[in-house]
Amino acid sequence: MSQDQQAAQPGRRGGVVIGGVVAAVVVVAAGVGVFVAHHGSSGSSGLHDDGKKYVLTTPETVAGGYTKTSVGSPVARLDQAGTAKLAALGVTEPTSTSQMYVKGNVADGVYLNFSGVSGTVADPAKALDGAFALLEDGGRPDRSGTTLKAATAGGPQSVHPAGMAPDALMKCQKFVETASQDNQKVPTKTTVCVWADYSTLAYLFPLDPTATLNGTETASVADAAALTAKVRKDVEVAAS
């Protein structure tokens, strides 16, 4: 039996984590759902456009030790509605990229859910602000019947982590998401970070299942921002 299969079996600790926590994260953050149109923009003044084009990739390893996993990995896809929502944010010709990474074993490792789009971003600040609209979503059921509820903690914070190139903007926001399934509630406390430049709009959602099961926070704003800067450096490459 593979490690992924063991983690997904009901009754095992890994099964609880994957079924009740990781799956919930994927439903909330997968694909284009995070990029919902949001009114208002802080503008992109001061952000330099070097004229180069970049694309998002999914290397085998990111941030010095997180490796690809098939468990909970979202499907990278854009439908007509998703493309229209991105267009409202000034993102055109988008190509979606998503991948779940894990550090440690699948059953009790620490996860990173990375997802974003490559294309042309007319106003990175507007796109960045719009990406946080989903965190204000009151709750919705997924196709499996899991009901998700997200509550934000304060507004998105502009961050400038060490190692973050000056050609992008980044904001992070704390929130608590609760998945209700089979009469059980699993709250996840974490921080989501989003970056935007003139070629990409992407987010990182760190998840520590052990912290979730213990009722503690996965990542502070500072830690999540530092991790996101490392991931951006690994996944964003010059277009060929």
Side-chain angles (χ1 to χ4, degrees), residues 146-164:
T146 301
T147 299
L148 305 168
K149 196 81 172 181
T152 58
Q157 302 178 38
S158 293
V159 291
H160 307 280
M164 183 71 176

Side-chain angles (χ1 to χ4, degrees), residues 88-178:
L89 297 181
V91 182
T92 55
E93 301 179 340
T95 299
S96 182
T97 304
S98 300
Q99 181 62 47
M100 187 76 83
Y101 288 89
V102 64
K103 188 173 187 177
N105 60 59
V106 170
D108 56 8
V110 181
Y111 287 82
L112 297 179
N113 181 13
F114 154 67
S115 188
V117 291
S118 309
T120 298
V121 182
D123 185 342
K126 177 182 177 180
L128 182 62
D129 288 344
F132 284 94
L134 184 63
L135 298 182
E136 304 296 335
D137 217 359
R140 59 191 174 85
D142 73 356
R143 286 180 291 182
S144 69
T146 301
T147 299
L148 305 168
K149 196 81 172 181
T152 58
Q157 302 178 38
S158 293
V159 291
H160 307 280
M164 183 71 176
D167 60 346
L169 302 174
M170 185 190 296
K171 290 184 179 182
C172 301
Q173 185 171 23
K174 289 187 176 184
F175 78 104
V176 179
E177 176 189 89
T178 302

Side-chain angles (χ1 to χ4, degrees), residues 63 112 114 159 161-164 169-172 191-195 202-206 221-235:
L112 297 179
F114 154 67
V159 291
M164 183 71 176
L169 302 174
M170 185 190 296
K171 290 184 179 182
C172 301
T191 299
V192 62
C193 292
V194 183
W195 81 74
Y203 72 84
L204 192 75
F205 193 113
V221 168
D223 290 343
L227 190 58
T228 303
K230 292 177 182 178
V231 171
R232 179 179 182 250
K233 185 176 181 180
D234 291 334
V235 301

